[in-house]
Amino acid sequence: WSSDVCSSDVIVEVAELTDNMGMAVKEAANLAKLSKASGTELKENAHAIEHGFKSFVKQNKTALNFKDIMGDVGNASSALTLSLGSNPERIAEAAMEARKLGLSLEQVDKIADSLLDFEQSISNELEAELLTGKDLNLEKAREAALNNDTATLMEEIASQVGTIEDFNSMNRIQQDAIAKSIGMSREELAKTLTSQQENIANNDEMLAQTEKGTKAMESQASLSEG
């Protein structure tokens, strides 16, 4: 760790994140650096992200893993971090939107890079249209990728790719083509769509687990304060 995040208070808070929120030490330390860079408190950011997570899960009726979200925030690339104003809550929101679609922030970055290889991307899109008979339009997705608008990028990708039922109705060559059009492999797209379906199916169970974990954290915090 650098000296700017090695104060005793921050070290204690990082330890709490690893114990109570399941973050890896590296991820927690990165969140501490991000908090310092944004002029905010690590503990406040962690609790704000947790609150936003619970609200997101309820509103979107999708089961997400809080540990995955915290990991995405802690491992966000420097470029993505800067594009989101070095704001931990905004990064967490982007991570939740990505995970709702079965993607990590790292995968979203990869998709954006693929779309910005304009000549190849347009060629892949036309090939996918020819093979699938679908009328694709990735122009808004490319524009969103160019402007670091991750929210719009993910919305456009979801609308163009379709559902797991759409994917299952295609033959292998068509599946390869539709995945290639957004910079993914057939296997990556299949896992993404499966994850989306599981997120919806497991929503009630995940909500119960989240509430249980939150109560345990609150109990531990009370004991520590006492």
Side-chain angles (χ1 to χ4, degrees):
W1 300 358
S2 59
S3 58
D4 57 358
V5 292
C6 279
S7 71
S8 58
D9 288 344
V10 171
I11 291 175
V12 169
E13 289 175 5
V14 166
E16 289 177 352
L17 288 182
T18 59
D19 290 341
N20 299 336
M21 293 189 174
M23 293 186 75
V25 174
K26 179 182 176 182
E27 295 167 356
N30 285 342
L31 180 56
K33 291 179 183 179
L34 182 60
S35 297
K36 182 173 179 62
S38 62
T40 54
E41 295 294 328
L42 174 59
K43 184 177 291 187
E44 291 178 5
N45 282 325
H47 286 301
I49 292 171
E50 180 192 4
H51 177 74
F53 172 81
K54 289 188 287 186
S55 297
F56 186 92
V57 168
K58 290 179 180 178
Q59 290 172 6
N60 290 272
K61 294 182 171 58
T62 181
L64 301 179
N65 188 314
F66 185 64
K67 182 179 178 181
D68 288 341
I69 303 303
M70 294 299 282
D72 283 349
V73 175
N75 289 318
S77 68
S78 298
L80 180 61
T81 296
L82 289 176
S83 72
L84 292 173
S86 298
N87 184 316
E89 288 186 64
R90 285 187 63 194
I91 298 171
E93 288 170 7
M96 286 183 271
E97 289 289 352
R99 290 287 177 178
K100 183 176 74 171
L101 298 179
L103 297 165
S104 67
L105 282 182
E106 184 179 1
Q107 287 176 303
V108 174
D109 249 355
K110 177 186 172 186
I111 290 171
D113 286 340
S114 173
L115 291 172
L116 291 178
D117 183 354
F118 295 112
E119 184 175 350
Q120 188 61 58
S121 177
I122 293 171
S123 175
N124 291 340
E125 180 182 350
L126 293 174
E127 181 181 0
E129 286 184 326
L130 178 64
L131 291 171
T132 65
K134 289 173 65 75
D135 185 19
L136 300 176
N137 186 350
L138 294 170
E139 184 177 343
K140 284 187 177 180
R142 293 190 191 94
E143 182 180 358
L146 183 63
N147 294 324
N148 291 313
D149 184 354
T150 56
T152 300
L153 171 60
M154 288 182 283
E155 288 174 6
E156 287 299 311
I157 291 301
S159 68
Q160 296 300 312
V161 169
T163 66
I164 194 169
E165 288 78 14
D166 296 325
F167 184 82
N168 288 338
S169 69
M170 301 177 191
N171 62 39
R172 186 186 184 97
I173 293 175
Q174 291 172 326
Q175 291 171 347
D176 277 326
I178 199 72
K180 187 178 176 182
S181 72
I182 57 168
M184 300 181 78
S185 70
R186 173 175 170 267
E187 179 65 14
E188 286 173 329
L189 180 55
K191 287 181 178 179
T192 293
L193 293 172
T194 299
S195 182
Q196 285 181 35
Q197 190 177 58
E198 290 175 348
N199 287 344
I200 295 172
N202 297 332
N203 181 59
D204 290 341
E205 180 182 351
M206 186 61 74
L207 275 174
Q209 291 178 0
T210 300
E211 291 297 332
K212 182 179 179 181
T214 299
K215 289 178 181 178
M217 288 170 56
E218 290 173 348
S219 297
Q220 187 164 344
S222 297
L223 290 173
S224 298
E225 292 172 0

